[in-house]
Amino acid sequence: MNKKLMTAVTALTMMSALTACGGETSKPAATTAAQTTAAAQTTAAQTTAAAAASSDAQTSAAAAAPSAPAAIKFTYNANGTEIAINAEADAVKAALGEPQQTFEAPSCAFDGTSYTYTYAGFKVETYPDPADKKNKVYAVTLTDSTVQTAEGAKVGMTPDEVKNLCGEPDGETMGYIEYKGDGVALQFFMDDNGEKVNTVVYTYAK
Amino acid sequence: MTKGKILLCGTGMAAASVLLLAAAQRLLMPKYMGDVVEGNLVADYYDSGYDHDVLFVGDCECYENFSPVTMWQEYGISSYIRGSAQQLIWQSYYLLEDALRYEKPDVAVFNVLSMKYGEPQNENYNRMSIDGMRWSQSKSDNIKASMTEDESYLSYVFPILRFHSRWNDLCADDFTYFFGAEPNFFSGYFLRADVKPAENVPTGRPLTDYAFADTCWEYLDKMRTLCDETGIKLVLIKAPSVYPYWYPQWNKQIEEYAEKYALPYINFLDEDLMAETGVDLSSDTYDGGLHMNVYGAEKLSHWFGAYLSRTFSLGDRRDEPQLSAHWREITERYYAEIARQKDNLEKYGNVKGEQKPEE
């Protein structure tokens, strides 16, 4: 066994994986448990995750979506591709095609990489999941009015228009309206005057 | 057998067991000499000579963005970076507290990115930040503050409890570096000589809450108080790393804190300051803007060394024979490493000298 391979084995055993230093505001829920799991448990988790991923290979990326209240669909549909938080990013990217732009953020001190894929009207952010070494979707951001949520809400709408389409929010301030599901949130951020939506975000949420 | 002999025999066996366990623990602990050398950053400090005018504490935005060699060569400032990967603010605090057991610098520099993390994040980063510390109250407190839910205090006291499963994965490095790692750093600086321009850097998506966690403010207060009580000047900085995104709302909170307590705060992301330092993100970063390469780190250190000298009247110490000898060794290794990486880049296209398989 050459030195490089032995080093890799050591690192894999020792480390369940490290995300980019500060790639996100805090770790995704799926990461929390896995990152603190002992090496042996990690191996088991990897096996399970790999098997699950394999059996789910034919299903859409939305299969990994957390459960959500009936009124709001916490997945974003991009021209027929359902994108869910924690879905496998490679499957999503394969379905969406090559992004207009890609930004990659390698982790500090390990081989995980976070990506931001930019498509027309929206961006997909990913993180390396230590449980199965796969990149997962962390957030989807709708950046202009050419795209919309399943409820029909989009950039440029007023807060009232959003609430008419999506119902009463779980959280609201001058700056945003938020709907929460199980481990996921749909957020509408307002412009500086609080009058119009300027960004829509699907993201992991505690 | 007499009682004395039984006692002697028992003591000998107990001592042998302890030695054996200690050796096994040392063998099983990761040596961080492969791709993850950053795991040795914290322990590296204890070989640093403890004679520093300036001590940096912080995450990768410290240990990859500033070159202490440049500050020594240009201004005669002796500095050290006590950093580790994703070093959380309480870890920076306890590493500073730990360092003050050995020396008292004139200035402490804290990079503020870690204010965004209000809770323990990741065992592996914890290990890299804590396991290398020598035993002290600071280390004990650091462990308690840093542990994630599934970690145990005891596994930091006896790391063999955590790493016993590495037995089947021991490799040559574990034996080669049993007695200690090779020096990989330059007064705490992690050097990279390659170039990858910053392109398509995304702005941050909006957040519902920009307020830093109470815990972070508490530790910033503790750091400020510790510096006050020990006569150390505290300087807050935000390195010019363009990702992770540094929100204006975060910056404002730091500005207000700095103003309230009359602390200098230097945001190297400021466009005018970026121009003044000469940092060019098309050539001075090795990973697309997350960290500077050595060329960017030298530019920053050129500016920051002048600032520190001027603001805190730090004397030029290049005429001190013992200190000069210490820095000569570091400087020689530093330029040898730059030459090695440049050579590898030329031959193999990467700084590590890894031969890529033929296509």
Side-chain angles (χ1 to χ4, degrees), chain B residues 87-276:
Chain B
Q87 186 167 294
L88 304 170
I89 183 170
W90 46 89
Q91 293 168 342
S92 288
Y93 170 77
Y94 289 120
L95 283 168
L96 176 62
E97 191 181 71
D98 177 59
L100 299 192
R101 296 164 60 218
Y102 301 93
E103 62 176 321
K104 201 201 85 160
D106 296 315
V107 180
V109 179
F110 172 60
N111 185 66
V112 295
L113 177 66
S114 60
M115 287 292 288
K116 64 186 271 191
Y117 296 110
E119 57 188 37
Q121 295 287 310
N122 183 307
E123 184 201 359
N124 304 305
Y125 284 129
N126 283 346
R127 288 282 170 188
M128 285 195 255
S129 183
I130 297 170
D131 276 341
M133 287 179 79
R134 286 185 181 164
W135 265 105
S136 65
Q137 187 61 47
S138 302
K139 177 167 181 170
S140 177
D141 292 341
N142 196 357
I143 295 167
K144 290 173 191 166
S146 301
M147 282 189 302
T148 53
E149 277 176 16
D150 295 342
E151 292 180 75
S152 75
Y153 181 87
L154 209 56
S155 74
Y156 282 93
V157 181
F158 302 109
I160 194 169
L161 298 174
R162 172 64 181 85
F163 297 114
H164 61 87
S165 60
R166 286 193 67 241
W167 187 255
N168 293 325
D169 302 311
L170 289 177
C171 64
D173 280 359
D174 290 301
F175 297 93
T176 306
Y177 304 110
F178 181 88
F179 293 106
E182 283 178 1
N184 275 306
F185 313 106
F186 308 92
S187 216
Y189 170 59
F190 179 76
L191 188 158
R192 286 288 294 254
D194 41 346
V195 177
K196 183 183 176 189
E199 293 170 338
N200 306 325
V201 182
T203 53
R205 106 185 83 78
L207 304 177
T208 53
D209 187 2
Y210 294 94
F212 292 130
D214 290 346
T215 309
C216 295
W217 289 120
E218 285 165 21
Y219 275 96
L220 191 55
D221 282 342
K222 281 166 76 86
M223 197 180 293
R224 177 178 51 78
T225 306
L226 178 66
C227 289
D228 275 351
E229 289 173 351
T230 49
I232 296 168
K233 305 293 183 190
L234 178 62
V235 178
L236 307 178
I237 60 164
K238 171 63 187 78
S241 300
V242 290
Y243 189 91
Y245 186 69
W246 181 245
Y247 291 89
Q249 294 89 336
W250 290 351
N251 196 57
K252 187 163 178 278
Q253 291 173 68
I254 299 295
E255 282 179 341
E256 287 171 354
Y257 185 89
E259 189 177 345
K260 181 177 179 183
Y261 295 106
L263 298 174
Y265 170 48
I266 301 166
N267 179 7
F268 286 101
L269 283 166
D270 177 87
E271 278 183 21
D272 292 339
L273 186 51
M274 186 90 86
E276 202 179 320

Side-chain angles (χ1 to χ4, degrees), chain A residues 12-182:
Chain A
L12 283 169
T13 308
M14 152 59 190
M15 300 177 175
S16 52
L18 307 177
T19 56
C21 47
E24 296 299 343
T25 305
S26 62
K27 64 208 163 193
T31 309
T32 312
Q35 283 176 335
T36 53
T37 304
Q41 292 169 308
T42 303
T43 308
Q46 285 168 344
T47 309
T48 310
S54 175
S55 66
D56 289 347
Q58 302 304 313
T59 62
S60 76
S67 62
I72 297 288
K73 193 172 183 185
F74 288 98
T75 58
Y76 171 60
N77 187 308
N79 298 320
T81 301
E82 288 289 337
I83 310 173
I85 302 307
N86 276 334
E88 281 185 26
D90 285 350
V92 169
K93 190 182 166 204
L96 292 174
E98 273 306 301
Q100 294 172 339
Q101 287 183 349
T102 299
F103 177 78
E104 55 181 72
S107 76
C108 281
F110 204 62
D111 58 359
T113 301
S114 302
Y115 293 90
T116 302
Y117 301 119
T118 303
Y119 293 92
F122 69 97
K123 291 191 294 189
V124 178
E125 293 173 65
T126 77
Y127 73 99
D129 188 343
D132 56 9
K133 311 289 183 196
K134 292 180 177 174
N135 271 343
K136 303 286 178 64
V137 174
Y138 182 87
V140 180
T141 303
L142 313 189
T143 53
D144 64 37
S145 60
T146 62
V147 294
Q148 63 184 33
T149 70
E151 296 75 24
K154 60 185 179 181
V155 167
M157 286 184 166
T158 65
D160 284 344
E161 286 173 325
V162 170
K163 284 185 275 188
N164 284 340
L165 290 166
C166 301
E168 276 307 302
D170 297 304
E172 182 177 9
T173 69
M174 275 286 286
Y176 69 90
I177 291 172
E178 181 175 46
Y179 298 88
K180 283 189 172 176
D182 183 7

